[in-house]
Amino acid sequence: MIRQMLILTLCSLLFAVARSDTNYRLNTSIVPSSYSIAITPYFDTGDDKAFTFDGEVIIKFITESNIHRIKIHSVDLNFNASDINISSGSVSVKLNEANPLEFDKKYDFAYINLESELIAGYEYELSIDYNGPIRKDLKGFYMNHYYQGGVKKWLGATQFESTHARKAFPCFDEPGLKAVFTLIIDRPASFKPSLTNTKIQSTVPLANGYVREIFYPTPRMSTYLVAFLISEFESVTTIKNGDNEFGVYTRPEAINQTEYAVDFGQKIVDALGDYFGIDYYSVDSNLKLDHVALVDFDSGAMENWGLVKYRESLLLYVPEDSSPYYKYRVAQIVAHETTHMWFGNLVTCHWWSNTWLNEGFANYFQDYMTSLIEPTVGAADQLVIGSVYAAYDADEKSDAVPITNNVVNSPEEISGHFGTITYQKAGSVIRMIHHFIGNDAFKFGLHTYLNANQLQPSYPENLYAGLEEGVATFNSLSSYPGYDLTSVMSSWISQAGHPVLHVEVDHANSLVKLKQKRFYIDPTKSSDELYKIPITYTTSNAPNFENTKPSFIMDGETYELSVNLTEDTWIIFNVQETGLYRVSYDVHTWQLIFKALKGTKREEIHYLNRAKIINDLFAFLFTGEIKFAMLYEGLEFLHEEKSYPVWYAAVRGLKKLRTMYIGSETLSLIDAYSLKLIDSAIKNLGYEVNPMDDYDTLRNRMQILDLACQLDHQGCIDNAAAKYKDLKENGKEISPSLRSVSYCTGLRLGDGKDYDFLWSRMASTNVANEARTIGDILGCTADEEKLRSFLVSTQVENSPILTQDLTVPLSSVLANHSHVSLVIEELDKNLALWKSIYPSFDGVLSSIATALHTENEFDTFDSWLSSCEECGDEAVTKAKTSLAAAKAVTSWADNHNLDILATLKGSARIVTSSMFMILSGILWAVCAL
């Protein structure tokens, strides 16, 4: 899709550069060595201390130059000059009498002004007594609650990544400033022992009804990894090899849902330790590894060293109620967070500009390692259809940033850098390098990197040096003279975008001409980036889709390759999509590939390459490189296709295409075409779950039926509606893999009572991923009164829509385009209420703008935005940028309408003519009798 017009892109880039303010950085000469942090929480005490906490922090540090001022991070913490003490040995350091303490709320700093200088090289101790709120926004030190036997239970949890430690204790809150942390937690005596990064060292009962727990010092680590939990949670805990503690903690009523996490979690930490050559527990004897399922958690999960936190739906799994997706998702995210114990915790990016050093490896190993120890959940394929496809989508825009992004300073910019480029694109580049240098060199290089940089902040150059050691040890680049690991990998890390490889085959002379250029979804864009591309290919002469070792490196704009070819030999590049590049062929080569796909040897072409062909064809359609007729021909083989990844590529492409034509008369033809394609898949898969179905079959049926029912496929609707009715009237549970489509169909065909039925089911279920499944589809209802209530359902007392799911109602309702006008009407009518629900209005307005498709909708919302004084200038600006992108989508659809109509109507005439001939033959035969 065309996402940005040139002028808007330039403006947004200029705006991004202009707002990148380096004053958010500490730029301090102070180097902390240790923290002691004492926390005393007060929950529902019924007095003015309720939901606040007292804290004391003691920081030991040196300064590398003489300074008159200590600059430290602090947000919403209360202290004054009398609460501060500074000393060096027995010598006290006095504060400046006239101006001892200043707070800069814009930059999150407290300035402690001194009467005399701190001297470079001396160790100092800074202590601050303070208090603060136990927050409600799931940031810093925040409150949670749940019900147990009808009784409300409170807990206190933390989420410090990336800039929220400063909301729980004054600190030097940057990842490069590592230190050792000792935590002291006073908890109510009725609570279970608190949890932090390390084991409990000692326990002391206090006279005030609290228990003080002192924890062992942590390894040297960053502030964002400090964590604690004060609760009544229970656990399944195992102790291996004497002192190696592993546990999964949750609210007591969900403790029976932890079996899968306990089993997989222990397997993955052992497997990763073996792969990286550093046993997790060997880092520090007082480290343990606890995984905690929280009722309400802002991130999907967080890799705090020794105390990993998750949303319940991403750690707890119940086979009877959880869809197959969640079995994969739990394994994937546990693997992701456990990988961080090495990449992120043991070795940490020096600054958030290189977040990929943490997240790129976690993204890669979440699926790579899961595929090795839990192969039944399809993680190996997700490396492509999950990460690579997502990377393409984010990286094809003209405003895409490099993986290493130096324009990252403010908390907002830091948060924004935790996205697809940092996770999926970086993970895909790491996967490409793995295939490039081979497994032996890769493993050795990672071990070298981790071992050399453990407990230190790191830079990309440190990683390259480690991998170069692996390459040298195994001589793994001997086939590529003149190339080194650093130059190849850095060409992908330091510049934005990815290439498309144009392939032109001269069969007569057995010559293949290659040309690379950066791929943009907007065809008006161009630039001169060149990438060092590891090239893989195979031909129909001797098809080999298992060899993913690159044949050569292409670093120039063009390359000529001699290959033994005949006139009917196909050639396919990027084997198993191990490289991060799209591939476009000349027309004759496309025709040869299409012929092979429709032939009896279709499966000689690896299913990931069959999927790639589809995914690339859709991309080339959206960028205008091919006509719809070519895509149409390229998809014909789907009538015989059974592979889940191949259908995944097709379904996502068809959904994107139909989204572009919402509000247009062409949509009905696209839907009819899509139904024709998927009908054979429905016949092959059926509507019922078979006990012998594997993971791919279950997920394939899920995605096919989801699209089929959206397109009003009668068999799908009848079957899904029957299942829903049987559940509602007879209590017969629906197979987890079919619940989403059945629930949505029941809502579409039903009324307000059906909404109430599923709302009640969501509110009463004890299984978090079942609750999330229902929340995601409640917007399917056609009852306008229920839609209005759902949009503000977080305001319902004890609402099952939690803070972590704040945007779920809006997204669910906007998923149906017919609800757009109702959303805008409710926004206008209840603006004050909506602003009280959403802490930031940016995403709300942009989500609505993105859902619009007609000129009338554009004009109405544009006018509303211009008149909304309460919305805020930045939110309106972002929404208008999203509105322009939505208009560009509609413009693309208008420009390509005739092309698509010509193909689809031509196809309809062919089908009609063929059917007429068949019927004529039947009638002639009958008459002849």
Side-chain angles (χ1 to χ4, degrees):
M1 287 185 285
I2 299 173
R3 306 290 177 91
Q4 285 281 38
M5 295 186 296
L6 178 60
I7 185 68
L8 288 167
T9 299
L10 291 174
C11 288
S12 66
L13 288 173
L14 288 171
F15 178 70
V17 172
R19 71 174 179 166
S20 185
D21 185 349
T22 57
N23 288 316
Y24 283 100
R25 297 291 300 273
L26 273 168
N27 295 317
T28 182
S29 61
I30 289 176
V31 180
S33 60
S34 69
Y35 291 72
S36 174
I37 305 164
I39 299 289
T40 303
Y42 307 98
F43 294 107
D44 54 343
T45 54
D47 56 19
D48 57 2
K49 277 188 168 291
F51 301 108
T52 68
F53 69 97
D54 293 331
E56 179 191 23
V57 63
I58 302 172
I59 309 172
K60 291 183 178 180
F61 66 91
I62 64 168
T63 176
E64 295 177 333
S65 62
N66 294 1
I67 55 174
H68 269 101
R69 164 189 273 189
I70 297 172
K71 180 166 67 169
I72 194 167
H73 284 110
S74 178
V75 175
D76 296 336
L77 302 177
N78 307 309
F79 56 93
N80 54 46
S82 63
D83 298 313
I84 301 171
N85 288 287
I86 305 170
S87 62
S88 179
S90 60
V91 179
S92 294
V93 178
K94 294 183 179 180
L95 305 190
N96 182 288
E97 193 171 326
N99 183 23
L101 180 63
E102 302 172 78
F103 290 96
D104 185 337
K105 292 187 178 181
K106 177 178 179 180
Y107 295 111
D108 296 351
F109 292 130
Y111 294 98
I112 302 170
N113 300 311
L114 310 174
E115 193 66 39
S116 58
E117 283 188 327
L118 300 185
I119 308 302
Y122 283 80
E123 184 178 68
Y124 293 89
E125 183 175 283
L126 165 67
S127 70
I128 304 174
D129 291 325
Y130 63 98
N131 62 68
I134 303 179
R135 305 174 68 90
K136 298 179 181 179
D137 61 0
L138 310 186
K139 304 289 197 303
F141 177 32
Y142 72 92
M143 68 180 80
N144 246 200
H145 73 268
Y146 59 95
Y147 287 89
Q148 182 178 339
V151 177
K152 193 173 192 177
K153 300 284 188 175
W154 291 100
L155 63 85
T158 56
Q159 170 56 20
F160 290 164
E161 190 180 40
S162 51
T163 59
H164 306 303
R166 63 193 68 172
K167 297 172 182 176
F169 58 100
C171 57
F172 301 100
D173 198 14
E174 294 189 353
L177 296 175
K178 290 192 167 197
V180 173
F181 296 82
T182 300
L183 275 77
I184 303 165
I185 306 291
D186 290 356
R187 61 165 173 87
S190 59
F191 280 42
K192 295 291 178 69
S194 295
L195 301 175
T196 71
N197 308 89
T198 55
K199 302 172 186 176
I200 293 176
Q201 182 176 11
S202 62
T203 301
V204 182
L206 303 178
N208 63 356
Y210 274 65
V211 174
R212 174 166 296 166
E213 288 160 342
I214 302 171
F215 295 82
Y216 284 103
T218 70
R220 190 166 178 267
M221 67 185 198
S222 306
T223 50
Y224 77 90
L225 293 170
V226 176
F228 49 90
L229 175 71
I230 306 167
S231 73
E232 297 181 56
F233 276 17
E234 295 181 355
S235 73
V236 175
T237 302
T238 63
I239 299 177
K240 300 190 303 180
N241 301 327
D243 295 322
N244 298 345
E245 292 184 13
F246 178 95
V248 176
Y249 286 77
T250 186
R251 55 187 172 85
E253 291 181 350
I255 197 69
N256 62 338
Q257 301 176 26
T258 60
E259 181 179 353
Y260 184 61
V262 169
D263 178 62
F264 183 82
Q266 292 181 87
K267 288 178 180 177
I268 194 68
V269 71
D270 290 342
L272 287 167
D274 180 66
Y275 194 94
F276 298 144
I278 301 174
D279 179 72
Y280 170 77
Y281 295 99
S282 71
V283 174
D284 190 301
S285 62
N286 293 312
L287 265 180
K288 36 72 176 181
L289 184 55
D290 293 329
H291 300 266
V292 178
L294 290 168
V295 178
D296 211 359
F297 192 60
D298 188 48
S299 303
M302 178 58 207
E303 67 268 19
N304 314 296
W305 217 347
L307 186 60
V308 188
K309 295 178 180 176
Y310 304 77
R311 295 183 179 188
E312 273 196 11
S313 62
L314 298 179
L315 185 63
L316 306 182
Y317 171 73
V318 182
E320 297 78 18
D321 288 295
S322 304
S323 75
Y325 164 78
Y326 279 110
K327 184 175 184 181
Y328 159 71
R329 191 73 172 98
V330 168
Q332 179 204 46
I333 202 162
V334 170
H336 180 107
E337 304 308 327
T338 307
T339 301
H340 274 308
M341 300 301 112
W342 290 266
F343 288 91
N345 300 7
L346 184 65
V347 181
T348 311
C349 62
H350 77 287
W351 178 246
W352 303 112
S353 56
N354 282 307
T355 303
W356 71 274
L357 290 172
N358 298 5
E359 298 298 348
F361 281 94
N363 178 266
Y364 178 51
F365 279 97
Q366 70 184 19
D367 285 321
Y368 174 68
M369 195 58 68
T370 298
S371 72
L372 299 180
I373 65 175
E374 188 76 40
T376 60
V377 298
D381 297 338
Q382 291 298 323
L383 286 165
V384 175
I385 64 175
S387 289
V388 173
Y389 287 10
Y392 286 150
D393 288 347
D395 205 37
E396 67 193 11
K397 306 169 189 176
S398 56
D399 60 352
V401 297
I403 293 174
T404 286
N405 180 15
N406 293 319
V407 188
V408 174
N409 291 296
S410 71
E412 181 183 9
E413 289 165 349
I414 292 168
S415 179
H417 195 44
F418 280 78
T420 305
I421 298 297
T422 299
Y423 285 68
Q424 283 83 1
K425 183 185 177 184
S428 299
V429 169
I430 291 165
R431 173 175 177 260
M432 178 169 63
I433 295 300
H434 189 176
H435 285 272
F436 173 44
I437 67 175
N439 193 54
D440 290 338
F442 188 66
K443 282 180 67 173
F444 188 92
L446 294 186
H447 170 72
T448 301
Y449 164 69
L450 292 169
N451 197 51
N453 298 284
Q454 59 181 307
L455 307 179
Q456 301 294 326
S458 180
Y459 297 78
E461 291 74 20
N462 301 125
L463 173 67
Y464 301 152
L467 291 173
E468 292 281 14
E469 285 283 330
V471 168
T473 300
F474 291 92
N475 198 25
S476 63
L477 296 188
S478 58
S479 301
Y480 317 102
Y483 293 99
D484 59 83
L485 177 284
T486 299
S487 65
V488 173
M489 189 170 185
S490 62
S491 80
W492 297 86
I493 298 296
S494 61
Q495 59 184 353
H498 60 272
V500 54
L501 185 70
H502 290 280
V503 179
E504 185 177 335
V505 182
D506 180 352
H507 286 83
N509 295 300
S510 291
L511 190 67
V512 180
K513 297 179 181 179
L514 306 178
K515 182 177 181 179
Q516 67 158 300
K517 67 174 183 178
R518 179 174 171 181
F519 180 81
Y520 289 102
I521 198 66
D522 182 347
T524 67
K525 305 293 188 296
S526 64
S527 58
D528 58 2
E529 287 94 349
L530 291 175
Y531 307 84
K532 290 180 170 61
I533 311 174
I535 298 291
T536 55
Y537 69 93
T538 189
T539 73
S540 55
N541 291 340
N544 182 353
F545 285 91
E546 298 307 314
N547 180 15
T548 59
K549 181 75 172 175
S551 299
F552 59 93
I553 303 299
M554 178 179 174
D555 62 355
E557 183 179 6
T558 61
Y559 190 97
E560 289 194 356
L561 175 68
S562 294
V563 182
N564 184 25
L565 301 170
T566 63
E567 190 61 30
D568 60 354
T569 300
W570 54 252
I571 186 168
I572 290 176
F573 283 82
N574 203 351
V575 174
Q576 292 192 44
E577 196 130 38
T578 48
L580 189 65
Y581 58 96
R582 296 191 183 276
V583 185
S584 176
Y585 302 91
D586 63 74
V587 173
H588 180 61
T589 303
W590 274 127
Q591 294 297 329
L592 291 173
I593 292 171
F594 294 164
K595 181 181 178 181
L597 289 173
K598 288 182 282 188
T600 57
K601 296 183 178 180
R602 181 187 77 258
E603 294 190 354
E604 284 188 353
I605 300 174
H606 195 279
Y607 61 86
L608 288 176
N609 281 94
R610 304 202 299 272
K612 176 175 179 53
I613 289 163
I614 291 175
N615 195 50
D616 283 352
L617 283 171
F618 272 109
F620 298 147
L621 173 70
F622 297 140
T623 199
E625 185 167 322
I626 65 170
K627 298 290 188 181
F628 182 75
M630 180 170 282
L631 173 69
Y632 185 93
E633 185 176 359
L635 298 185
E636 284 185 3
F637 78 94
L638 286 173
H639 293 291
E640 303 298 325
E641 184 59 59
K642 298 179 181 179
S643 167
Y644 163 64
V646 180
W647 271 110
Y648 178 87
V651 167
R652 80 191 295 265
L654 291 169
K655 284 184 173 181
K656 186 181 291 188
L657 181 62
R658 77 181 303 271
T659 296
M660 299 176 91
Y661 281 92
I662 286 174
S664 164
E665 294 179 359
T666 306
L667 182 63
S668 60
L669 279 173
I670 293 173
D671 285 355
Y673 167 61
S674 301
L675 280 170
K676 185 175 71 170
L677 282 177
I678 66 175
D679 192 57
S680 58
I682 294 173
K683 290 175 182 176
N684 175 56
L685 293 164
Y687 298 108
E688 305 298 333
V689 171
N690 186 309
M692 301 304 293
D693 285 344
D694 60 15
Y695 173 88
D696 277 5
T697 301
L698 291 170
R699 290 202 69 182
N700 203 16
R701 186 184 293 109
M702 285 171 64
Q703 68 177 351
I704 293 293
L705 294 183
D706 174 67
L707 178 58
C709 279
Q710 283 185 42
L711 301 178
D712 293 326
H713 183 285
Q714 197 60 53
C716 180
I717 289 175
D718 290 346
N719 191 273
K723 285 181 169 61
Y724 171 76
K725 182 180 179 182
D726 212 4
L727 167 68
K728 183 181 176 184
E729 295 181 359
N730 304 314
K732 184 179 180 181
E733 291 294 341
I734 303 168
S735 174
S737 65
L738 300 176
R739 288 185 184 182
S740 180
V741 67
S742 298
Y743 293 165
C744 183
T745 302
L747 288 168
R748 285 176 60 198
L749 301 180
D751 55 23
K753 292 180 181 178
D754 295 287
Y755 175 92
D756 291 340
F757 169 74
L758 285 172
W759 174 272
S760 176
R761 184 176 173 88
M762 176 174 62
S764 60
T765 182
N766 190 41
V767 180
N769 38 46
E770 165 73 350
R772 180 57 191 260
T773 296
I774 297 173
D776 284 338
I777 56 82
L778 281 175
C780 293
T781 184
D783 188 293
E784 292 192 355
E785 178 187 347
K786 298 302 180 182
L787 287 171
R788 291 188 175 93
S789 66
F790 185 40
L791 286 168
V792 293
S793 55
T794 56
Q795 303 302 291
V796 175
E797 185 176 0
N798 298 324
S799 174
I801 302 295
L802 305 171
T803 303
Q804 67 184 13
D805 302 319
L806 197 61
T807 60
V808 166
L810 180 62
S811 299
S812 179
V813 174
L814 286 175
N816 188 328
H817 177 253
S818 64
H819 298 159
V820 163
S821 58
L822 179 145
V823 171
I824 296 175
E825 178 187 326
E826 288 300 298
L827 171 65
D828 180 50
K829 185 170 34 174
N830 301 302
L831 183 60
L833 175 60
W834 281 48
K835 290 200 71 177
S836 71
I837 293 173
Y838 295 99
S840 169
F841 232 40
D842 296 7
V844 173
L845 300 182
S846 293
S847 294
I848 295 171
T850 301
L852 307 182
H853 291 279
T854 68
E855 290 299 325
N856 182 57
E857 291 168 354
F858 295 147
D859 292 342
T860 299
F861 196 56
D862 193 16
S863 176
W864 186 88
L865 287 170
S866 297
S867 66
C868 184
E869 297 178 358
E870 301 94 329
C871 290
D873 292 342
E874 187 171 347
V876 169
T877 298
K878 289 182 178 179
K880 290 205 171 190
T881 300
S882 298
L883 194 62
K887 289 179 180 179
V889 170
T890 301
S891 176
W892 183 95
D894 291 341
N895 293 337
H896 291 77
N897 195 44
L898 291 177
D899 171 37
I900 292 175
L901 283 175
T903 301
L904 292 180
K905 287 185 175 180
S907 169
R909 283 195 294 272
I910 292 170
V911 172
T912 302
S913 175
S914 300
M915 186 60 68
F916 177 76
M917 291 176 67
I918 293 169
L919 289 173
S920 296
I922 293 172
L923 289 171
W924 181 264
V926 170
C927 292
L929 293 176

